[in-house]
Amino acid sequence: MGIGELDREAHVPQGRPEGNGAAAPPRTLAEALRARGDEGLAALLRARPDLLSPVPNDLTQLATRAGTRGSVVRALERLDRFALQTAEALAVAPDPAPYPVLLALLTGDEGDAEIEAALPGAVALLREQALVWGEDERLRLVRTARELLAPSPQHPSPTGLGPTVAEATSGMSPGRVQELLAAAGLPATHDPVSAVAVLTELFTDRTRMGALLDTAPPEALAVLDRLVWGPPYGEVTADPAPPVRWLRDRGLLLPVSPRTMVLPREVALHLRGGRAHRHPEPVPPRPAVLREYRAQVVDSAAAGQAYAALATVEELLKSWDRGGPPVLRAGGLAVRDLKRTAAALDVTEPVAAFWLELCHGAGLLASDGEADERYAPTPAYDDWLDLPPAERWARLVTAWLTATRTSGLVGGQDARGRTLSALGPDLDRAPAPEVRRRVLTLLAALPPGSAADPETVLARLAWERPLRSAGAAAAAAGAPADATGPTGGTGAGRPGGPGGRQQGTYGSGGHGAPSYGTGSYGPGGPAPDLRARIARWTLEEAELLGITGRGALSTAARALLNLPLDEAWDPTGHAGEVELSVAAERAAELLAPLLPEPVDHVLLQADLTAVAPGPLLRPLADALAVLADVESKGGATVYRFTPGSVRRALDTGRTASDLHDFLAAHSRTPVPQPLAYLIDDVARKHGHLRVGAASAYVRCDDDALLGEILADRRSASLRLRRLAPTVLAAQVDPAGLLDGLRALGYAPAAESAEGDVLITRADAYRTPARTAPVPVPDGPPAPDATLLGAAVRAIRAGDRAATAVRKEPAAPAPAAAGALPRTSAAETLATVQAAALTGSAVWIGYVNAEGAASQRVIAPVRVEGGFVTGYDHTADEVRTYPLHRITGVAELADDQV
């Protein structure tokens, strides 16, 4: 919508006194914005940050941008249900609409105290966001919003209303209009316009309309009952039934095509008792309490889950220490690798995908970037392991709160029908961080220790963002949405409407969400139930992370959200602005005392097992994980010592005496004799055979042992041959030879080219340094106070420059409206020099180096060297301009100086 259309959007109300200091009502949206204070402009820019990209030059440009389709769609998407219902009611009301008319559309004939109390706030919200302007006597919905929300055959209104009598009869012949008057018992008129006015007056007169309907056959009233709440269109046959003919003859149904009839808006409003919506919702639904627990029980359960989350992440990444699964060519993890990961963690595949995405989002897991690309832990994982447990938990939950990658989508399909894989592309959903934070804030609205009913939480989210919660399906999740929605509704004959397509949802109570475009609400529109799905996943993931315990928000999570710790929180309020890192530190401090203290010992048993009675200290846990295999987990972890695990420890460079000393130092029980024998036996054989690279070779000082290997039929796959009495050559690589000999029961050691034993480490492989994935923003970022203040000052200054009254030169040259001032170089120099001497401001036209032209108001302070330096009121700072780029200059009128 252009500036001219904005100017034509309103006219000066008649009969309003403008003298005696009374301000004239605004004629355009720009004038309404101009009448606002700085706080009002800042509130608009805060609510609609897309208007700041870039900062408008003046208020007229701001008003123009606020009326563009894309910006209006984004603003409508962020309205709550009642504010949206208010805008929908204005879209079907006369333009402009007095406040009492709007109130009557929402309350109906019977009235509603809750609506009467909530409506001023909804109108104020629409005004603040520049979707509605004008005083209460003449409320105007921005033209673009009216076009989006007003009923039409292509885009039915959520109100379920159809066109007005004037709109429905616009293509009707004058004779047919007169027939309608005669059938309704009205006198004929001289022209169609007055005839439509008389018919409209009948339909809006409750008494006369009631008398007309009293004469209607019962079957005709049944037809009206099916259409009254929408859809208002119905398809009829060439020879309609008598009840339909009775309605058609009296204008209670009007034809829009040879086979389609529509219920006029005035008739529907009469049948509804004046109400535009079947179920107005002025009060947001409150989450209900499902169960109640003591706060200590909730915190203890959450702490247990938090510790389990840390253990799961460590187990996952430790299993990939030597390199994880390969990366698919299209990116992501193969389905079979996800199944293996789920089996290793003993969880379901969706839960495994969640842990993988959490590690990836926290920067602990990434691809190595090699030619044969694989996943592996990053160097940040080692730094993360060195943190205290509570701080590790805080790092994970802050990454989860801000991440836009949504693991719940794994296994679904993208727009091209391809399966979405874990760690792959196309998993970002911009609304995810907002939904997660809102869900947790709603849980905080309940008394401490209370678990919420998930369905009531979803109902509240749907009320807060109805368009985003039940919208058209396109950009975020897949196939484009139908602009008019599914077929539905029942008309006078059979279901349908214009073109055979009708929106049944809109007629079922006004809860549907209209599609404002050809496939979605606007750029980046989410899937139909995406917010609800993310909310359900949030409840499950919060429990896995220990943010909630038994469904109730923990004390540490309240600190993370910067909410009160010991009382319910009003979800309509906002927490104070605070850095997330600061809140995370506070949450970690509250969680730390609840986590189990790590222990520094184990209990060795005669059956070659060790029992850890609690979480082990990091060095002890790492060393024991190399020396033994985990057999079972739980409150106490059981480790099993095997020849393979002992050999693994010897491969790291430790000797048998080192292992004996380690176990004696960290066991509260004596080292069992079977375990000591196992270590000595494996150590005696370890390194007796040496494997190196020829293709691969085996050497040993005991030629009888090499002869034994050659004679073993199981070694045939290694294709060994004797090169010397103490050397065997193989046709496989050294790693394969090592594995083959170990499978035969030997304990070979790898050696370097110099003949030294190679020491291996289980955690030797890491990716290069990687940064965590950057969340995808959900629209422009919210501006801070500094940016808002600077933007408001710039817009005000630009508006003063654009609206300032200039003195006309003695012989003004003809110029187009809005053109830059034109003066000769000598006149320009003389004017700015005079302004610098007198300290007055002037209006200039300026063209920058890129050729962009602008108008500015400056107060020159110095003119020298071909430049003028002065205070630029438009930019609110001192600037220097080349004189040759100033197209012209004019003095300001006396009352503008």
Side-chain angles (χ1 to χ4, degrees):
M1 180 163 48
I3 297 175
E5 290 177 324
L6 280 171
D7 288 338
R8 292 191 298 271
E9 193 171 281
H11 60 274
V12 179
Q14 301 298 319
R16 183 178 181 87
E18 299 184 8
N20 301 325
R27 297 171 298 174
T28 64
L29 177 59
E31 288 189 5
L33 295 178
R34 196 167 287 122
R36 291 191 182 190
D38 290 350
E39 285 298 326
L41 288 181
L44 169 62
L45 298 176
R46 187 183 299 109
R48 300 175 64 178
D50 58 289
L51 301 179
L52 275 174
S53 302
V55 176
N57 291 332
D58 51 43
L59 289 170
T60 301
Q61 189 177 92
L62 175 62
T64 303
R65 192 177 297 173
T68 57
R69 184 183 184 89
S71 182
V72 170
V73 164
R74 282 188 287 269
L76 291 174
E77 282 183 341
R78 295 186 177 275
L79 294 179
D80 61 57
R81 177 156 293 169
F82 186 63
L84 183 62
Q85 288 179 333
T86 302
E88 292 164 353
L90 277 173
V92 298
D95 187 29
Y99 184 87
V101 172
L102 173 62
L103 179 62
L105 283 172
L106 289 168
T107 61
D109 297 340
E110 298 178 357
D112 190 310
E114 287 186 341
I115 294 178
E116 292 178 7
L119 185 57
V123 173
L125 176 64
L126 294 174
R127 272 205 188 102
E128 178 187 282
Q129 299 196 18
L131 294 172
V132 168
W133 59 278
E135 299 182 351
D136 284 353
E137 295 84 356
R138 306 181 69 83
L139 292 173
R140 287 186 177 274
L141 192 64
V142 171
R143 177 173 298 180
T144 307
R146 177 174 288 274
E147 292 171 354
L148 293 171
L149 297 174
S152 70
Q154 294 75 29
H155 302 291
S157 169
T159 61
L161 294 170
T164 62
V165 172
E167 294 168 347
T169 59
S170 58
M172 192 175 292
S173 66
R176 174 60 182 144
V177 175
Q178 297 298 330
E179 291 176 3
L180 294 177
L181 294 182
L186 299 173
T189 63
H190 300 288
D191 58 87
V193 175
S194 59
V196 170
V198 170
L199 193 61
T200 302
E201 184 180 355
L202 168 64
F203 291 163
T204 54
D205 188 322
R206 294 301 176 86
T207 303
R208 297 164 61 199
M209 187 65 176
L212 176 62
L213 292 177
D214 287 342
T215 65
E219 296 81 0
L221 295 179
V223 170
L224 294 179
D225 287 341
R226 292 198 296 270
L227 296 174
V228 62
W229 290 106
Y233 295 93
E235 193 167 312
V236 297
T237 61
D239 183 20
V244 176
R245 285 201 303 270
W246 190 93
L247 296 170
R248 182 194 61 185
D249 293 342
R250 287 155 181 79
L252 298 176
L253 288 180
L254 294 173
V256 293
S257 72
R259 300 289 299 273
T260 306
M261 308 293 288
V262 66
L263 180 69
R265 186 181 307 171
E266 294 84 353
V267 177
L269 286 174
H270 172 82
L271 296 172
R272 297 178 178 192
R275 193 185 290 268
H277 296 86
R278 174 178 281 186
H279 300 296
E281 296 186 52
V283 179
R286 297 185 65 86
V289 175
L290 189 62
R291 296 182 184 87
E292 293 185 2
Y293 305 95
R294 289 185 297 109
Q296 294 85 347
V297 173
V298 170
D299 289 343
S300 297
Q305 282 296 122
Y307 178 76
L310 297 178
T312 302
V313 170
E314 291 179 35
E315 180 183 0
L316 169 62
L317 295 180
K318 189 175 293 184
S319 66
W320 289 9
D321 265 337
R322 297 186 180 181
V327 180
L328 294 174
R329 181 177 301 177
L333 195 68
V335 174
R336 63 178 179 274
D337 292 323
L338 178 61
K339 290 182 178 179
R340 290 171 185 162
T341 302
L345 296 178
D346 194 21
V347 297
T348 62
E349 292 176 32
V351 174
F354 165 70
W355 293 119
L356 288 169
E357 287 295 339
L358 179 65
C359 294
H360 180 52
L364 309 180
L365 176 68
S367 61
D368 58 10
E370 301 293 336
D372 184 15
E373 198 170 14
R374 307 180 74 83
Y375 289 106
T378 66
Y381 170 59
D382 297 313
D383 299 334
W384 180 79
L385 284 177
D386 292 335
L387 296 173
E391 294 184 22
R392 279 185 274 143
W393 174 83
R395 185 79 61 86
L396 290 178
V397 295
T398 52
W400 173 75
L401 269 177
T402 58
T404 55
R405 292 186 61 82
T406 309
S407 64
L409 297 171
V410 172
Q413 292 186 337
D414 62 9
R416 300 179 182 178
R418 297 175 300 188
T419 301
L420 296 171
S421 59
L423 302 178
D426 302 325
L427 290 182
D428 283 290
R429 295 296 180 269
E434 179 212 351
V435 175
R436 292 190 189 111
R437 188 169 287 273
R438 285 302 300 156
V439 168
L440 298 182
T441 305
L442 289 174
L443 296 182
L446 302 175
S450 300
D453 181 357
E455 296 304 323
T456 60
V457 173
L458 297 181
R460 174 58 178 265
L461 288 177
W463 186 91
E464 291 179 350
R465 296 286 188 272
L467 291 185
R468 289 197 163 197
S469 297
D482 188 340
T484 58
T487 301
T490 48
R494 58 187 180 86
R501 300 164 70 187
Q502 193 49 247
Q503 178 54 277
T505 303
Y506 299 150
S508 61
H511 297 295
S515 175
Y516 296 148
T518 57
S520 66
Y521 297 127
D529 58 345
L530 179 63
R531 285 175 62 87
R533 294 165 67 197
I534 293 176
R536 291 186 184 276
W537 296 331
T538 296
L539 293 172
E540 298 168 0
E541 294 164 2
E543 192 74 16
L544 288 174
L545 283 171
I547 293 175
T548 59
R550 302 191 180 186
L553 198 67
S554 68
T555 303
R558 285 177 177 268
L560 184 68
L561 297 172
N562 192 35
L563 301 177
L565 302 182
D566 54 357
E567 59 184 11
W569 174 252
D570 180 6
T572 61
H574 300 281
E577 295 296 332
V578 67
E579 290 290 339
L580 184 58
S581 58
V582 177
E585 291 178 4
R586 174 60 176 152
E589 292 175 0
L590 294 171
L591 178 67
L594 302 175
L595 294 178
E597 288 289 337
V599 298
D600 60 354
H601 64 276
V602 295
L603 305 175
L604 296 177
Q605 302 185 112
D607 61 349
L608 298 181
T609 61
V611 177
L616 298 176
L617 292 172
R618 176 63 47 204
L620 176 57
D622 292 342
L624 194 60
V626 176
L627 180 57
D629 298 325
V630 176
E631 188 171 81
S632 65
K633 301 174 185 177
T637 304
V638 178
Y639 294 86
R640 168 73 62 179
F641 297 95
T642 65
S645 67
V646 174
R647 178 199 51 75
R648 188 171 63 226
L650 294 173
D651 284 345
T652 64
R654 292 193 173 194
T655 63
S657 60
D658 293 336
L659 298 182
H660 286 301
D661 294 342
F662 169 78
L663 292 175
H666 294 94
S667 175
R668 289 290 177 87
T669 59
V671 178
Q673 194 176 52
L675 178 56
Y677 285 166
L678 174 65
I679 293 173
D680 292 338
D681 186 52
V682 175
R684 189 165 42 253
K685 298 177 182 179
H686 185 265
H688 198 48
L689 294 177
R690 300 291 184 89
V691 173
S695 275
Y697 66 83
V698 184
R699 71 180 181 88
C700 181
D701 295 336
D702 186 355
D703 57 347
L705 180 58
L706 294 182
E708 179 185 333
I709 294 174
L710 277 175
D712 194 330
R713 293 182 179 179
R714 295 176 297 169
S715 67
S717 61
L718 302 178
R719 290 177 289 176
L720 298 170
R721 63 188 178 89
R722 190 187 292 271
L723 297 181
T726 58
V727 180
L728 296 179
Q731 299 289 324
V732 297
D733 59 87
L737 184 54
L738 279 169
D739 293 338
L741 291 175
R742 287 168 180 167
L744 296 178
Y746 299 98
E751 72 176 16
S752 67
E754 292 77 19
D756 301 323
V757 174
L758 289 175
I759 297 175
T760 60
R761 293 178 55 216
D763 58 346
Y765 190 73
R766 290 290 183 269
T767 69
R770 294 281 191 266
T771 58
V774 179
V776 175
D778 186 16
D784 55 23
T786 302
L787 176 58
L788 282 176
V792 169
R793 289 194 298 272
I795 294 171
R796 290 285 192 201
D799 198 59
R800 285 194 296 271
T803 58
V805 181
R806 294 100 189 179
K807 287 184 177 179
E808 295 293 338
L820 297 178
R822 297 288 179 179
T823 56
S824 65
E827 290 175 328
T828 298
L829 179 60
T831 305
V832 296
Q833 284 177 334
L837 291 174
T838 60
S840 58
V842 294
W843 172 60
I844 66 170
Y846 179 72
V847 179
N848 64 14
E850 288 75 28
S854 60
Q855 303 176 22
R856 300 177 178 274
V857 174
I858 67 171
V861 295
R862 185 173 63 254
V863 182
E864 59 183 14
F867 293 88
V868 54
T869 301
Y871 178 76
D872 188 332
H873 290 272
T874 307
D876 198 20
E877 64 182 6
V878 176
R879 288 188 175 182
T880 299
Y881 298 98
L883 283 169
H884 69 277
R885 293 194 177 277
I886 297 178
T887 63
V889 63
E891 297 180 4
L892 297 181
D894 293 337
D895 58 350
Q896 298 290 320
V897 177

